[in-house]
Amino acid sequence: MSATSGGDNAGIRFLPAGDTALVVEFGDRIDRALSERVLRLGERIRESALAGVTETVATFRSLLVHYDPLVTGAAAVKEHIADLLDDRAGGPRPRRLFRVPACYDQACAPDLDEVATRAGMSRAEVIEAHCGQDYHVYSIGFLPGYAYMGDVVPALALPRRTDPRVRVPAGSVAIAAGMTGIYPIESPGGWHLIGATAIRLFDPDWPQPSLFRPGDAVRFVPISREDYDRARAAMATEPLQPEASP
């Protein structure tokens, strides 16, 4: 399947993903403007209720469109999607904002000193930089509920650790490769651990099992170790609620 041609949609590629899915690829880089195009198309497909389309999955630079091959086919899905690709239509997308309480105490941040040294910053400066902006949720992956959020300030855009950990505690706040994230469950991991949060990120019993979804905004709010310990008890049963976007 070839790329579309003309206007703002030049360079978009339609790629087969087996016989039940189609990838709409918008580019070869990671940035928020490209992500917004991916998310906007996903919303339009859901609103259009295209016959046979069962699910869409947003990635950094493409949209995976699943379809039922007994109802429709790749050619028909591509034709319908091509009609929805007008990037000029519609205003800014509404988004949800989450303020995530995070503890940067030494006990919760085993890599913070090393990160500060490599970045040429103090611990306080790293914390201030990490908490000083709203992060864009690009994609959910790696683990259920794991949100890839960007973009960290350039000084903190460190590569992954050369010695990944076998066990990273659930709730660990981490950075690597220009991204920040929160480990939803205990797992192996190679990102730098600079803090921890008590919020729950995934629950299969929730109507939407993942707390975050692509397009959300997340801001980290520093809290003390005492507040973190209290939050672990308070947030163990209730999910974090989004706030109105600024």
Side-chain angles (χ1 to χ4, degrees):
M1 295 184 181
S2 61
T4 62
S5 60
D8 294 334
N9 297 324
I12 294 177
R13 298 201 302 164
F14 292 83
L15 306 171
D19 60 355
T20 62
L22 186 68
V23 174
V24 186
E25 186 181 83
F26 285 81
D28 59 0
R29 66 191 186 281
I30 298 174
D31 67 40
R32 296 195 187 192
L34 192 149
S35 175
E36 287 295 331
R37 296 176 69 191
V38 172
L39 297 171
R40 191 179 301 120
L41 177 61
E43 290 179 349
R44 290 174 180 167
I45 290 174
R46 290 189 292 274
E47 291 169 356
S48 300
L50 301 181
V53 171
T54 58
E55 183 183 15
T56 63
V57 180
T59 74
F60 287 99
R61 58 191 182 90
S62 64
L63 186 72
L64 178 65
V65 182
H66 291 277
Y67 59 85
D68 183 346
L70 299 179
V71 177
T72 189
V77 172
K78 177 186 175 183
E79 181 178 356
H80 286 303
I81 290 175
D83 292 335
L84 302 175
L85 282 174
D86 185 2
D87 283 334
R88 296 167 296 180
R93 287 187 322 98
R95 66 173 186 169
R96 304 184 303 170
L97 171 65
F98 290 89
R99 296 188 185 274
V100 175
C103 177
Y104 296 88
D105 182 81
Q106 181 65 49
C108 301
D111 296 330
L112 185 54
D113 284 337
E114 179 183 353
V115 166
T117 298
R118 294 178 62 178
M121 304 166 72
S122 67
R123 286 175 59 94
E125 289 171 334
V126 172
I127 296 169
E128 182 179 5
H130 189 252
C131 296
Q133 61 181 322
D134 293 344
Y135 294 98
H136 174 75
V137 177
Y138 282 98
S139 183
I140 306 295
F142 169 55
L143 294 168
Y146 190 98
Y148 287 89
M149 299 179 282
D151 301 271
V152 300
V153 297
L156 299 182
L158 304 176
R160 291 173 174 81
R161 291 172 54 90
T162 57
D163 54 340
R165 292 180 170 87
V166 175
R167 292 183 177 179
V168 174
S172 294
V173 176
I175 58 171
M179 297 280 123
T180 189
I182 306 169
Y183 286 82
I185 59 174
E186 182 183 278
S187 73
W191 289 27
H192 306 276
L193 308 185
I194 63 169
T197 182
I199 69 170
R200 296 173 64 194
L201 297 172
F202 182 85
D203 190 322
D205 292 329
W206 290 344
Q208 295 291 330
S210 176
L211 176 63
F212 301 143
R213 60 183 182 227
D216 285 342
V218 175
R219 176 178 284 263
F220 291 93
V221 179
I223 61 174
S224 68
R225 178 62 188 273
E226 291 74 18
D227 287 341
Y228 168 70
D229 289 338
R230 284 193 289 268
R232 290 184 65 182
M235 294 186 181
T237 57
E238 295 297 328
L240 188 69
Q241 297 299 317
E243 301 179 16
S245 179

